Amino acid sequence: MADVAGLERLIEPELNKLGYDLVRVAMIGGTSDPTLQVMAERPDTRQLNIADCEKISRSLSEMLDALEMNGADPIEGSYRLEVSSPGIDRPLTRLKDFADWAGHEARITLGEPRAGRKQFSGTLEGTAGQDVKLTDKTGELHSLSFSEISSAKLVLTDKLINATAPLSTEGADTFETVEE
């Protein structure tokens, strides 16, 4: 299996050079359908469009192909490259994500249980140093060390939908009929 941290170190500078921020790199699909999944976003809008995905995909493909040709392929065997936006109920992978999305609901899973529990859900309150602050539905404020978090994502709510409305809805109300 590929070294995901090593892939992040290769991919992030390439994305930054293109003007995008890396959200997550993952190898999914197991051995039957290995897929390198790259989630990215524009720093100013936190979104991607199809043209952005195409630009990133081509650049990463060229970079990875060049590494393979030079005998330094970071992924053994064949695989599929998938480039996407993180979506509305996005994963929270960087400490800054927890500050940027303060006021929104999130679900956080710890790597190891704390006081018998690994799951925390509630409203993000931002960060303090290396800690993520979250208020649960009972009003209790939890301070979770970023290093203890194994996964986290935003929860789909009306507030989140309104905050992530598309930059342009041009053509969204137009229907095109295609005859076969």
Side-chain angles (χ1 to χ4, degrees), residues 47-140:
Q47 298 178 7
L48 288 183
N49 59 35
I50 295 293
D52 293 323
C53 291
E54 181 181 359
K55 180 179 178 182
I56 292 168
S57 181
R58 286 191 177 161
S59 180
L60 292 180
S61 291
E62 289 171 9
M63 179 195 69
L64 292 166
D65 288 349
L67 288 169
E68 180 182 12
M69 290 181 71
N70 291 321
D73 194 353
I75 303 171
E76 283 187 36
S78 62
Y79 61 93
R80 186 172 9 149
L81 174 61
E82 176 186 291
V83 176
S84 69
S85 150
I88 293 176
D89 54 346
R90 62 185 300 122
L92 304 169
T93 59
R94 305 160 293 187
L95 184 60
K96 75 180 198 112
D97 292 340
F98 295 92
D100 290 350
W101 294 98
H104 291 280
E105 291 184 39
R107 183 173 297 114
I108 298 173
T109 303
L110 302 179
E112 296 296 322
R114 176 192 282 184
R117 86 187 255 210
K118 289 176 79 170
Q119 297 276 336
F120 292 83
S121 295
T123 303
L124 291 173
E125 304 295 343
T127 60
Q130 293 293 306
D131 291 341
V132 172
K133 304 292 187 180
L134 178 126
T135 300
D136 67 21
K137 294 188 188 310
T138 68
E140 184 178 351

Side-chain angles (χ1 to χ4, degrees), residues 158-175:
D158 288 340
K159 181 179 180 179
L160 182 61
I161 290 169
N162 291 332
T164 57
L167 297 175
S168 170
T169 57
E170 181 180 334
D173 58 352
T174 304
F175 294 94

Side-chain angles (χ1 to χ4, degrees), residues 7-75:
L7 286 167
E8 285 179 6
R9 288 189 297 276
L10 289 171
I11 291 169
E12 188 163 25
E14 189 71 18
L15 288 178
N16 293 158
K17 190 168 56 176
L18 295 171
Y20 301 101
D21 284 343
L22 177 64
V23 174
R24 180 175 79 184
V25 172
M27 285 300 298
I28 60 174
T31 56
S32 64
D33 186 25
T35 301
L36 171 59
Q37 182 187 67
V38 177
M39 287 185 184
E41 65 186 6
R42 289 174 172 253
D44 57 340
T45 64
R46 309 202 98 188
Q47 298 178 7
L48 288 183
N49 59 35
I50 295 293
D52 293 323
C53 291
E54 181 181 359
K55 180 179 178 182
I56 292 168
S57 181
R58 286 191 177 161
S59 180
L60 292 180
S61 291
E62 289 171 9
M63 179 195 69
L64 292 166
D65 288 349
L67 288 169
E68 180 182 12
M69 290 181 71
N70 291 321
D73 194 353
I75 303 171

